[in-house]
Amino acid sequence: AQSVAQPEDQVNVAEGNPLTVKCTYSVSGNPYLFWYVQYPNRGLQFLLKYITGDNLVKGSYGFEAEFNKSQTSFHLKKPSALVSDSALYFCAVRPPQTGANNLFFGTGTRLTVIP
Amino acid sequence: DTAVSQTPKYLVTQMGNDKSIKCEQNLGHDTMYWYKQDSKKFLKIMFSYNNKELIINETVPNRFSPKSPDKAHLNLHINSLELGDSAVYFCASSQVSSFSGNTIYFGEGSWLTVV
């Protein structure tokens, strides 16, 4: 069975500091991994994904994530946080089988960037 | 142009009523989804349609009936609404048949409140 864990419900970081939002996964085979962001009263916006290749993936708004197979992790990072980054962040995994039709989401991490 | 659009965005209705949420995607994708986000922000898939055929049907009460008139539309009809149906419903789409690592794109959500 596939699953995703986001161990932190809430992450607070000062503006200008680096941020990390953690994600670990459990899936058979090589997973496809995604990060989405949800701003208040908005839908989910795609940030980035890991399919194959370079373990460091760069995405929208200056975010990046590092795939670590040995630790089964896919942590989201940004070198310098902005107040506007405050939002709810979801990690998701998709099984690698052809035609696999679903994303399994983590429980979300609320990021608050303090001015 | 909105890629995945759903209407209405907000819906307040009384218990026992029947309501529908409409969804359309203009991305040319072959697969559409309905996800439910509960009050704790947890996201879970409800249904998935691939080329108008039902692929995923999670444990959802049969008061919920999706309908896909064509592969660009997936509507959600809910009969006999209950208080527990209050949630945010997200429509989404992706192109699955060519590669399951393709991104799923979400609509802005429909906030349903049952009173």
Side-chain angles (χ1 to χ4, degrees), chain A residues 32 34 36 38 41-44 46 49 51 88 90 94-103 105 107 110, chain B residues 9-10 31 33 35 37 41-43 45 48 55-56 90 94 96 99-104 106-108 111:
Chain A
Y32 300 143
F34 300 78
Y36 286 83
Q38 185 178 22
N41 297 323
R42 300 295 302 277
L44 280 81
F46 169 71
K49 67 180 178 183
I51 303 299
L88 188 57
F90 289 96
R94 191 172 204 171
Q97 294 88 348
T98 300
N101 225 341
N102 189 14
L103 274 181
F105 282 91
T107 49
R110 187 166 300 282
Chain B
K9 179 157 186 175
Y10 299 103
T31 302
Y33 313 79
Y35 280 82
Q37 186 175 45
K41 304 298 184 184
F42 184 65
L43 277 158
I45 193 166
S48 172
I55 302 299
I56 295 175
F90 286 104
S94 71
V96 170
F99 177 51
S100 60
N102 286 332
T103 302
I104 295 182
F106 286 81
E108 287 288 298
W111 272 251

Side-chain angles (χ1 to χ4, degrees), chain B residues 23-39:
Chain B
C23 179
E24 176 181 6
Q25 55 96 1
N26 62 5
L27 298 167
H29 288 163
D30 60 5
T31 302
M32 295 186 71
Y33 313 79
W34 278 108
Y35 280 82
K36 180 180 179 180
Q37 186 175 45
D38 63 21
S39 59

